[in-house]
Structures are given as structure tokens and as C-alpha cells.
Amino acid sequence: MKSTHLLAGASVVLAGAVLAWSSHRASAPAAAPSAAQIEAAAMAAAQTGNPEARQQLQRWARQGLPVAERELGTLYRKQPERQGAARQLLEHAARAGDAEAAFQLGELLRGGSPVQAGLPEQAWPCTAKPPRRATPRRR
């Protein structure tokens, strides 16, 4: 009889621990996506026009993830009505150390868009000196 009570008590404790762990895990913030995940969402948004992928990029960009800002800015570059947003996103990502964002920003400023003339004098700093890397390279 004692072993049955011990087994039942252990089961209750274990179930409580699992419940507490799962509720803690559900309330914990999700880990930041990898660059590959962000770029895959950007490809889906650009190539298929997937609205869910675009919305996910927008959420990640609002979180301040430089890769998401760069990818969303690059996506917006193709839309004349979103040139201002593209520039802001690319500037923010470039300042965070994203070299590709600096290049895309320089291209945007150099070439302009159908609704705005290029600004080559502002493009030069973006393309002449790459920004400092935000994270060290792995060896």
C-alpha cells in the first residue's frame, strides 16, 4: 500500500513539474530567428508574394533584427510607394553593421527610383567604407 501511495505521489509531483515547465516555456519569448530563416521568409515574400512571409518579416523588423530590416528594405525597394520605408530600414540595418544593407542603401541612393532622383553624393559613404561588423566572424 505504501509503494502505491509513493508512486501516486511521485506521479503528481512529476505532472506538476511538467506543467510548470511547459507553462514557463510557453510564456518565455521565442528565440530570435537565424539569418537563414529570415532570408527564407524574404525569398518567399519576394518570389511568391506570400503575405504571411511578408508579415513575419515586418514583425522581425519591428523587433530590430538587422537581417530582417535589410530584407524588408530590399523588398520595399521594388515598390515606388515604399521608397522612404526602404531607406529607413536599410539605414537602420547598415548602422547595426549589416554590410549588405549598406550596399543596398548605397544602390538606392545612387540610382534613385522612378519617383525620386538618385543622391550619388549620399551614396558614396555607404559604398566606400563598409560598416563595422556587428558580430565577429567565426573561424
Side-chain angles (χ1 to χ4, degrees), residues 46-70:
Q47 294 175 356
T48 66
N50 184 328
E52 292 84 16
R54 183 182 42 77
Q55 290 168 354
Q56 183 61 59
L57 271 178
Q58 291 169 335
R59 282 190 293 274
W60 287 332
R62 280 193 300 269
Q63 291 174 11
L65 301 174
V67 176
E69 292 171 330
R70 176 211 335 135

Side-chain angles (χ1 to χ4, degrees), residues 1-138:
M1 188 73 169
K2 274 187 171 180
S3 63
T4 305
H5 288 292
L6 285 175
L7 186 59
S11 297
V12 168
V13 169
L14 181 60
V18 168
L19 181 61
W21 177 79
S22 64
S23 67
H24 167 71
R25 185 154 190 227
S27 65
S34 69
Q37 290 171 312
I38 295 170
E39 289 167 350
M43 285 176 50
Q47 294 175 356
T48 66
N50 184 328
E52 292 84 16
R54 183 182 42 77
Q55 290 168 354
Q56 183 61 59
L57 271 178
Q58 291 169 335
R59 282 190 293 274
W60 287 332
R62 280 193 300 269
Q63 291 174 11
L65 301 174
V67 176
E69 292 171 330
R70 176 211 335 135
E71 293 297 332
L72 190 59
T74 302
L75 188 65
Y76 284 176
R77 270 190 68 194
K78 299 170 187 156
Q79 303 170 10
E81 70 278 4
R82 293 195 172 181
Q83 294 295 300
R87 182 176 174 172
Q88 287 177 336
L89 287 162
L90 291 169
E91 281 178 354
H92 194 262
R95 285 196 176 109
D98 190 306
E100 179 62 23
F103 175 78
Q104 292 290 332
L105 177 61
E107 289 295 299
L108 175 68
L109 293 172
R110 181 181 62 80
S113 71
V115 295
Q116 178 183 359
L119 302 168
E121 66 281 353
Q122 290 182 13
W124 175 247
C126 297
T127 56
K129 184 177 87 175
R132 182 181 53 83
R133 288 184 63 81
T135 57
R137 288 187 178 191
R138 294 183 186 158

